[in-house]
Amino acid sequence: MIPLALCSVLMLYVFLERLMVIRKASTLDSTFMLRIREQIKQGNLTAAKAACQSTNTPISRIIEKGINRIGKPIDQVEKSMENTGKLEVYQLEKNLSILSTLAGIAPMFGFLGTIAGMIILFFNVQHEGFSLESIAGGIYTKMVTSAVGLIIGLLSYVAYTYLNAQINKNVNRMEAASVEFLDILQEQTAVPS
């Protein structure tokens, strides 16, 4: 039960820590891209950078990278934003593999408890004879550890899946903001006919 208790504490810690990081990353003012668009149209890149720095989210850091590359070819701007986006996604996914590992390992600890319960059961039968009291302790250990291991594994899997879905939502927002930013740059460089 001690390894299972450690697994449950670790699962709870990682889930809450990642949830706070992901929630913080997903908070973005709905007018952010409008302000960036206006600042770039006015040619005020300093104000656009300041808006990104004051927001301090993955999207704002990606857009700030793009603003810093204004004047270079669009494909270079896009590539630098893409690289920054990959780093931001890595930061969101950091330690998430712990949950998937716990989803696999917690049931194994539960099954190890099942083996321990069977050992206790046979030990008691050998030394005390075959009676309900002699086998009850082993069966109890077996059932409790199996159930707890499966519950922790299931909760870890659900937590991992939920956080992955939230990260995917953030990635979609980052991609949409990047495309919008590149559209803004192309509008600025388009030659009026």
Side-chain angles (χ1 to χ4, degrees):
M1 288 300 288
I2 291 172
L4 288 172
L6 293 174
C7 285
S8 65
V9 169
L10 184 59
M11 176 202 56
L12 192 60
Y13 171 77
V14 170
F15 176 73
L16 293 175
E17 186 268 338
R18 286 291 91 197
L19 184 63
M20 289 189 300
V21 167
I22 293 167
R23 286 240 168 107
K24 182 181 177 199
S26 65
T27 57
L28 186 66
D29 181 14
S30 60
T31 63
F32 174 74
M33 288 307 294
L34 292 173
R35 289 182 305 177
I36 296 297
R37 178 183 294 273
E38 289 305 314
Q39 298 297 342
I40 290 174
K41 278 185 178 179
Q42 295 170 6
N44 193 349
L45 298 182
T46 307
K49 286 180 196 176
C52 290
Q53 291 167 351
S54 67
T55 305
N56 194 26
T57 63
I59 291 175
S60 67
R61 288 189 286 272
I62 291 168
I63 300 302
E64 183 181 5
K65 180 62 81 171
I67 292 169
N68 288 331
R69 298 289 189 264
I70 288 179
K72 297 190 179 197
I74 289 283
D75 60 332
Q76 287 182 13
V77 174
E78 184 177 4
K79 188 69 174 165
S80 66
M81 291 173 65
E82 184 180 317
N83 289 336
T84 302
K86 287 178 184 176
L87 292 173
E88 293 296 336
V89 171
Y90 171 76
Q91 288 300 318
L92 292 176
E93 291 177 339
K94 188 172 139 186
N95 294 332
L96 204 59
S97 62
I98 292 172
L99 288 177
S100 67
T101 302
L102 288 174
I105 205 169
M108 296 297 181
F109 281 130
F111 296 139
L112 187 61
T114 298
I115 301 296
M118 293 305 291
I119 291 170
I120 290 170
L121 186 144
F122 287 118
F123 180 82
N124 290 342
V125 167
Q126 180 185 8
H127 292 310
E128 298 170 11
F130 189 78
S131 69
L132 220 50
E133 293 82 21
S134 67
I135 63 172
I139 291 175
Y140 175 77
T141 301
K142 174 185 168 192
M143 299 305 284
V144 169
T145 56
S146 292
V148 171
L150 289 171
I151 289 169
I152 292 170
L154 180 66
L155 291 175
S156 297
Y157 179 75
V158 169
Y160 174 79
T161 304
Y162 174 77
L163 292 176
N164 250 340
Q166 297 306 309
I167 289 170
N168 288 339
K169 285 180 185 177
N170 277 312
V171 168
N172 289 337
R173 287 185 197 124
M174 286 185 240
E175 288 173 353
S178 296
V179 167
E180 186 176 348
F181 179 77
L182 292 170
D183 287 346
I184 293 168
L185 290 185
Q186 289 178 343
E187 287 171 10
Q188 293 300 107
T189 58
V191 179
S193 48

